[in-house]
Amino acid sequence: IENRDRKTLRDLCQDLHNADLADLIEQLDQERRTQLIQLLGRDFDFAVLTEVDDTVREQILEALPVAAVAAGLRDLDSDDAVYILEDLADQEQEEILARIPEFVRVRLRRSLDYPEETAGRRMQSDVIAVPPFWDVGRTIDYMRESDDLPDEFYELIVVDPSFRPVGTVPLNRLLRTKRPVRIDEIMDTPIRTIRGDLDQEEAARIFERYNLVSAAIVDDSNRLVGVIHHDDIIDVIEEEAEEDIRGLVGLGDEEISDNFLYTARSRFPWLFINLWTAMLAASVIGLFDESLEKMVALAVLMPIVASMGGNAGTQTMTVTVRALATRELGGFNKRRIFWRELLVALLNGVTLAILIGIIAALWFSNAELGGVIGAALVFNLLVAGSAGFVVPVLLDRFGADPAVASSVFLTTVTDVVGFFAFLGLATLLLL
Amino acid sequence: IENRDRKTLRDLCQDLHNADLADLIEQLDQERRTQLIQLLGRDFDFAVLTEVDDTVREQILEALPVAAVAAGLRDLDSDDAVYILEDLADQEQEEILARIPEFVRVRLRRSLDYPEETAGRRMQSDVIAVPPFWDVGRTIDYMRESDDLPDEFYELIVVDPSFRPVGTVPLNRLLRTKRPVRIDEIMDTPIRTIRGDLDQEEAARIFERYNLVSAAIVDDSNRLVGVIHHDDIIDVIEEEAEEDIRGLVGLGDEEISDNFLYTARSRFPWLFINLWTAMLAASVIGLFDESLEKMVALAVLMPIVASMGGNAGTQTMTVTVRALATRELGGFNKRRIFWRELLVALLNGVTLAILIGIIAALWFSNAELGGVIGAALVFNLLVAGSAGFVVPVLLDRFGADPAVASSVFLTTVTDVVGFFAFLGLATLLLL
């Protein structure tokens, strides 16, 4: 298809939804991607680029001439344009912005001035705002006459003379109200505005909590600067959940389309840190080399204690990390949850200890060995339960992201304590 | 506040948004919760119950008289009513349904007939559907006159005479079009309908992919039965991401408000399974007890090989599980990703092997031991990389949820292979 047959290509792509065209582009090789976009020319909707993954997008933008990118971005909704621009280097951003008409440029810059991952970055700057004293008829006439309205909106934002939002009117209510009724009689108050510099994750929590379809974004002095829609929020929620999952196992921001060199490099730091923590655990074992020489059963059993501690601790840690992320864990229930986790650890620890104690005693025909491994297991599970709770809570308090750093700390603790408790107890009691 | 002062209470709660009132209810003890709801009587909006967590909701519903629950549910949107009903036992459901007016009951039953976690369960049955031959004016008049429209909607669904959806009209377009224009001239086609029995996660992918604000739900013969909104989809996405995270560490559907007994019981099965896999790994070590007796350094170093394999494998597994869940991994790129994971494992494996080899050689003044641990590490990382990819892909193909079961398999593989490769090589080459 790709052999310069513009017309057929255009017809084919016209029928595709952006998301489907994006999939198609991802599956082409790099050269073909640029060819396709250039062949489509003005018929290529740059909104498609918001649907391909980051790595592919960067490649495409680098390959296209600056003028083509600028022309493509000019017609986009401002949130899509910002989404595409934000990953570019500063210099390229400037070159592209320079070729965009001034009134669009000003808006894009205002979004780009907000830090990454804030609500301001995700907002759309074309907003429909009406004063409270208009009536329904005038509002509808205004909407019919103006040409530059955004494609999608679900609510009107009502603003006072200094452009501060005072309420919202869902479109369906506007439709169902008679023309002479004043806007301020049908608007919903109080309005839930979101500050542009609010973290996008916090903004998502507000949407979720109040089931919003869109929300007004305001600046420091509470003036309306944009609006953020449900579909952007869905993307944010997906991204943030993804980040939590990745953080737990030390993955960076890799994408499925990255090559192996990039992937290997992004995963290495985590493995490197884990190498040292594993070494630390090994050196704890090294302290007991004489005991191990005397009783090789200890070497056989010791990984069980460490690994059970790791598993139980990870369960507690995961619950805690997610509860912190979704703001379910606050000052008022911290103490209760901590005690619950200790009780859970004790209960499961004792049950599993009895089980493993019996098995170990039978396996090595040594009842005392069974007692020792049982005791070590209970102890390690208690430590794992506390650490699984305390580590993320402390990291959160000191401003670190608990999802990323918790599990290194945690497995170090459970390994070191597991080996030390089991080998130490055995040395004291059995040898 | 709780001492029977109805009026003050009512005034206080009236100003609260449902989500805030829900938080308040969660923080009360069980007795107070029921008291509060009963005192509020008809002023209590049962939609609040959709915002409290599952455990709390069940307690409240059990404590309230059936008649009160039925009265409360009658006025709710059907998706909220179903959400509250679905967790109840069949018998209680029937008792409540029996007290609800027939036309509402029929709708609720239709939703409840769909299996759990399908789009049909989440749909709202009050839909606004118009025929394509109406004009804009007639449509607006119809909407002004009918009283029983749902509170929130963002699009009209256009249906043919047999009630099959043929297109949608966003409200903002309706507002901006002149009254004599026919609906079928302004509607968006083709319409993306969702079958009621589609898994809710699949439905969420469709929303996300096409940035929808609502979608028509159809039955087997493609007739319109309801509509599903963005806010329900946001909840679904949150839940499914949560499920993936929990699955990776063997957590069930516990909630932060559960008591320790319930929590301990829900976490036990995972730990129990892990006990047996740890035992399996231990018995592999047991095979080499003579080697360990001769050379205690092996016992010190062996956990390093196993734990590095576990970490690297978990990274690959997590990427694979998420890519399967978000449908980024399909037939066309499976082979490529598999090879990439192997290359990543090789690259990081060799780098880490050199490092650990040198350290081990220096630590125990034994160059050959360094070589052995390095070789075992490379081998285990290669196995971990393959298993981290293959295990979730196979589980997915056989219809199991890869998020839940993958990590048990994986850590068993990396432990067993890690111990076996290291101790086996050492026995062959060093002793």
Side-chain angles (χ1 to χ4, degrees):
Chain A
I1 327 173
E2 288 254 36
N3 301 326
R4 331 242 115 219
D5 185 355
R6 247 169 203 242
K7 180 128 189 353
T8 331
L9 203 62
R10 197 144 53 197
D11 291 346
L12 277 173
C13 294
Q14 208 105 66
D15 292 339
L16 290 176
H17 186 279
N18 286 348
D20 301 318
L21 185 54
D23 275 1
L24 192 121
I25 288 178
E26 281 183 358
Q27 280 167 60
L28 295 175
D29 62 33
Q30 205 171 325
E31 215 173 318
R32 288 274 165 98
R33 285 173 192 152
T34 327
Q35 276 176 16
L36 173 71
I37 293 170
Q38 287 186 316
L39 277 174
L40 287 173
R42 289 204 56 87
D43 289 314
F44 178 74
D45 179 354
F46 268 63
V48 171
L49 292 184
T50 61
E51 312 274 348
V52 302
D53 81 27
D54 294 355
T55 316
V56 176
R57 181 164 55 244
E58 278 168 39
Q59 286 169 358
I60 292 176
L61 291 176
E62 268 169 39
L64 287 177
V66 173
V69 177
L73 293 184
R74 195 166 47 204
D75 304 327
L76 286 189
D77 283 345
S78 64
D79 53 343
D80 291 338
V82 168
Y83 190 79
I84 293 176
L85 276 173
E86 69 181 357
D87 289 333
L88 294 178
D90 285 348
Q91 202 204 329
E92 290 171 67
Q93 263 186 28
E94 286 308 319
E95 280 177 37
I96 294 169
L97 282 173
R99 287 162 192 258
I100 285 178
E102 171 142 18
F103 70 98
V104 180
R105 188 166 62 223
V106 171
R107 285 177 175 175
L108 294 182
R109 269 203 213 285
R110 187 156 59 185
S111 280
L112 286 169
D113 279 346
Y114 283 108
E116 268 186 69
E117 312 225 319
T118 57
R121 271 291 174 97
R122 299 290 192 138
M123 74 184 176
Q124 177 163 342
S125 345
D126 311 305
V127 205
I128 311 201
V130 294
F133 54 82
W134 279 15
D135 61 26
V136 170
R138 179 160 174 198
T139 308
I140 293 181
D141 293 341
Y142 162 74
M143 286 168 60
R144 285 207 182 128
E145 280 150 25
S146 38
D147 292 328
D148 60 340
L149 293 183
D151 289 341
E152 274 187 73
F153 58 97
Y154 313 99
E155 304 179 313
L156 295 181
I157 296 169
V158 186
V159 291
D160 69 10
S162 54
F163 228 66
R164 296 197 174 86
V166 293
T168 55
V169 181
L171 290 188
N172 84 66
R173 191 171 310 145
L174 194 68
L175 267 167
R176 285 150 72 182
T177 310
K178 299 230 179 306
R179 290 182 63 94
V181 178
R182 272 170 61 114
I183 288 291
D184 53 6
E185 287 174 44
I186 58 166
M187 72 183 181
D188 285 330
T189 52
I191 184 170
R192 286 177 210 288
T193 55
I194 292 177
R195 293 247 319 213
D197 50 9
L198 191 71
D199 186 88
Q200 59 177 9
E201 190 166 8
E202 304 284 338
R205 296 284 153 230
I206 296 177
F207 262 73
E208 225 184 325
R209 188 176 172 86
Y210 299 111
N211 297 326
L212 303 180
V213 65
S214 58
I217 306 287
V218 294
D219 64 11
D220 299 349
S221 45
N222 216 17
R223 282 198 190 84
L224 182 67
V225 290
V227 66
I228 188 164
H229 287 299
H230 68 98
D231 52 338
D232 299 313
I233 290 296
I234 287 185
D235 294 341
V236 169
I237 290 176
E238 242 347 297
E239 268 175 37
E240 299 284 346
E242 199 79 41
E243 261 182 44
D244 280 1
I245 296 182
R246 286 154 182 272
L248 286 173
V249 297
L251 292 166
D253 57 353
E254 60 173 80
E255 306 263 349
I256 193 117
S257 59
D258 289 335
N259 67 27
F260 80 96
L261 260 176
Y262 184 89
T263 311
R265 214 174 45 205
S266 90
R267 291 190 200 167
F268 185 78
W270 178 263
L271 297 175
F272 185 72
I273 294 170
N274 272 293
L275 182 66
W276 295 105
T277 63
M279 212 88 88
L280 185 65
S283 64
V284 171
I285 303 174
L287 295 177
F288 298 96
D289 53 355
E290 284 171 30
S291 315
L292 287 166
E293 242 165 311
K294 283 188 207 145
M295 196 175 188
V296 76
L298 298 182
V300 174
L301 294 174
M302 67 184 185
I304 300 182
V305 180
S307 118
M308 295 300 294
N311 281 312
T314 306
Q315 290 187 329
T316 302
M317 178 192 75
T318 306
V319 171
T320 311
V321 166
R322 284 303 290 173
L324 286 169
T326 56
R327 305 286 175 277
E328 286 180 282
L329 190 64
F332 64 94
N333 59 1
K334 269 190 186 147
R335 187 177 296 258
R336 191 177 68 75
I337 303 292
F338 178 71
W339 284 110
R340 186 191 70 176
E341 289 301 328
L342 274 191
L343 275 172
V344 169
L346 186 66
L347 203 65
N348 282 339
V350 169
T351 320
L352 293 164
I354 292 172
L355 211 67
I356 187 80
I358 293 172
I359 296 172
L362 293 176
W363 187 352
F364 295 96
S365 316
N366 184 339
E368 284 149 337
L369 184 62
V372 164
I373 193 174
L377 188 69
V378 174
F379 183 71
N380 200 23
L381 252 54
L382 283 173
V383 171
S386 332
F389 182 83
V390 171
V391 168
V393 167
L394 283 184
L395 285 172
D396 186 56
R397 180 165 309 161
F398 293 123
D401 182 352
V404 177
S406 291
S407 68
V408 194
F409 279 103
L410 181 74
T411 50
T412 311
V413 169
T414 53
D415 278 358
V416 166
V417 171
F419 291 134
F420 195 85
F422 178 57
L423 296 176
L425 266 181
T427 307
L428 277 178
L429 300 178
L430 301 181
L431 297 170
Chain B
I1 326 171
E2 288 253 36
N3 300 327
R4 330 245 114 217
D5 184 355
R6 247 170 201 244
K7 177 124 189 357
T8 331
L9 204 59
R10 198 145 51 198
D11 292 345
L12 276 173
C13 295
Q14 209 105 66
D15 293 338
L16 288 177
H17 185 278
N18 286 348
D20 299 319
L21 184 53
D23 274 1
L24 192 121
I25 288 178
E26 280 183 358
Q27 279 166 62
L28 296 174
D29 62 36
Q30 206 172 324
E31 216 174 317
R32 288 272 166 100
R33 285 175 191 151
T34 327
Q35 276 177 18
L36 173 70
I37 293 169
Q38 288 186 315
L39 276 173
L40 287 173
R42 291 205 51 86
D43 290 315
F44 178 73
D45 179 353
F46 269 63
V48 171
L49 291 185
T50 62
E51 311 273 348
V52 302
D53 81 29
D54 293 355
T55 316
V56 174
R57 181 165 56 246
E58 278 167 40
Q59 286 169 359
I60 292 175
L61 291 175
E62 268 169 39
L64 286 177
V66 173
V69 177
L73 292 185
R74 196 165 45 203
D75 304 327
L76 284 190
D77 283 345
S78 64
D79 55 340
D80 290 339
V82 168
Y83 190 79
I84 292 176
L85 276 173
E86 69 179 358
D87 289 333
L88 293 178
D90 285 348
Q91 202 203 329
E92 288 171 69
Q93 263 186 26
E94 286 308 319
E95 281 177 39
I96 294 170
L97 283 172
R99 287 163 192 256
I100 284 179
E102 173 143 15
F103 70 98
V104 181
R105 187 166 61 223
V106 172
R107 285 180 176 173
L108 293 183
R109 268 204 214 285
R110 187 156 58 184
S111 279
L112 286 169
D113 281 346
Y114 284 109
E116 268 186 70
E117 313 224 319
T118 57
R121 272 292 174 94
R122 299 292 192 137
M123 74 184 177
Q124 178 161 342
S125 348
D126 311 306
V127 204
I128 310 199
V130 293
F133 54 82
W134 279 15
D135 62 26
V136 169
R138 182 162 174 196
T139 309
I140 293 180
D141 293 341
Y142 162 75
M143 287 168 60
R144 286 209 180 126
E145 280 149 25
S146 39
D147 291 330
D148 60 340
L149 294 183
D151 289 342
E152 273 187 72
F153 59 96
Y154 313 99
E155 302 178 316
L156 295 181
I157 296 169
V158 186
V159 290
D160 69 11
S162 54
F163 228 65
R164 296 197 175 85
V166 292
T168 55
V169 181
L171 291 188
N172 82 67
R173 191 170 311 146
L174 194 68
L175 267 167
R176 285 150 72 179
T177 309
K178 300 230 178 304
R179 290 180 66 93
V181 179
R182 271 170 63 112
I183 288 292
D184 52 6
E185 287 172 44
I186 58 165
M187 73 185 180
D188 285 330
T189 53
I191 184 169
R192 286 175 210 288
T193 56
I194 292 176
R195 294 247 319 212
D197 50 10
L198 190 71
D199 187 89
Q200 60 178 8
E201 190 167 7
E202 304 283 337
R205 297 285 152 227
I206 296 177
F207 262 74
E208 224 184 327
R209 186 174 173 85
Y210 300 110
N211 296 326
L212 304 179
V213 65
S214 59
I217 305 286
V218 294
D219 64 13
D220 299 349
S221 45
N222 215 15
R223 282 200 192 80
L224 183 67
V225 292
V227 66
I228 187 163
H229 286 300
H230 68 97
D231 52 339
D232 299 313
I233 291 295
I234 286 185
D235 293 342
V236 169
I237 290 175
E238 210 38 90
E239 269 175 36
E240 299 285 346
E242 199 80 40
E243 260 182 47
D244 280 0
I245 296 182
R246 286 154 183 273
L248 287 173
V249 297
L251 292 166
D253 57 352
E254 60 174 82
E255 306 262 350
I256 194 118
S257 59
D258 289 334
N259 66 29
F260 79 97
L261 261 178
Y262 184 88
T263 309
R265 215 174 45 205
S266 90
R267 291 191 201 166
F268 185 78
W270 178 261
L271 296 175
F272 185 72
I273 294 170
N274 272 291
L275 182 64
W276 295 105
T277 63
M279 214 88 87
L280 185 65
S283 64
V284 171
I285 302 173
L287 296 177
F288 297 96
D289 53 354
E290 285 173 27
S291 315
L292 287 166
E293 243 165 309
K294 284 190 206 143
M295 198 173 185
V296 77
L298 298 182
V300 175
L301 294 174
M302 68 185 185
I304 299 181
V305 180
S307 119
M308 295 301 294
N311 280 314
T314 305
Q315 290 187 329
T316 301
M317 178 193 74
T318 307
V319 171
T320 310
V321 165
R322 284 302 290 173
L324 286 169
T326 56
R327 305 287 175 276
E328 286 180 284
L329 191 63
F332 66 93
N333 59 0
K334 270 190 185 146
R335 186 177 296 259
R336 191 175 69 75
I337 304 291
F338 178 71
W339 284 110
R340 185 190 70 176
E341 290 301 329
L342 274 190
L343 273 173
V344 169
L346 186 67
L347 202 65
N348 282 339
V350 170
T351 321
L352 294 164
I354 293 172
L355 212 65
I356 186 82
I358 292 172
I359 296 171
L362 293 176
W363 188 352
F364 295 97
S365 315
N366 184 340
E368 284 147 338
L369 184 62
V372 165
I373 193 173
L377 188 70
V378 173
F379 183 71
N380 200 23
L381 284 198
L382 284 174
V383 171
S386 332
F389 181 84
V390 171
V391 167
V393 167
L394 283 184
L395 285 170
D396 187 56
R397 179 165 311 162
F398 294 123
D401 183 351
V404 177
S406 292
S407 69
V408 194
F409 280 103
L410 180 74
T411 50
T412 311
V413 170
T414 53
D415 279 358
V416 167
V417 170
F419 292 135
F420 196 85
F422 178 56
L423 296 176
L425 267 182
T427 308
L428 277 179
L429 300 178
L430 300 181
L431 298 169

